[in-house]
């Protein structure tokens, strides 16, 4: 498991997933952040984060 943390693609993927979860939670809970751009960006960032995590060397 520690070998995964040394891979840059894993770290980048985790970062994008965390940021996308913040966007999606804000979209669902706050009326001020309830814009479609937050939804679409959050979904796109989750997909990108999952792709980065699944990359193999």
């Amino acid at each position: 498991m520690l070998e995964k943390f040394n891979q840059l693609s894993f770290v980048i993927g985790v970062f994008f997933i965390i940021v996308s979860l913040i966007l999606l939670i804000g979209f669902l809970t706050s009326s001020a952040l309830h814009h479609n751009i937050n939804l679409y960006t959050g979904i796109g960032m989750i997909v990108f984060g999952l792709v980065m995590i699944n990359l193999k060397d």
Side-chain angles (χ1 to χ4, degrees):
M1 182 67 183
L2 291 177
E3 297 168 1
K4 268 298 228 198
F5 288 118
N6 289 333
Q7 293 179 356
L8 186 59
S9 62
F10 181 78
V11 175
I12 291 171
V14 169
F15 171 76
F16 272 91
I17 288 177
I18 290 171
V19 172
S20 67
L21 289 177
I22 292 170
L23 281 174
L24 292 174
I25 289 171
F27 174 79
L28 295 174
T29 59
S30 174
S31 62
L33 296 175
H34 194 79
H35 300 288
N36 286 338
I37 189 69
N38 287 345
L39 176 65
Y40 300 141
T41 305
I43 291 171
M45 290 175 82
I46 271 199
V47 169
F48 180 74
L50 290 173
V51 167
M52 291 298 288
I53 285 177
N54 289 324
L55 281 178
K56 304 282 189 247
D57 284 334

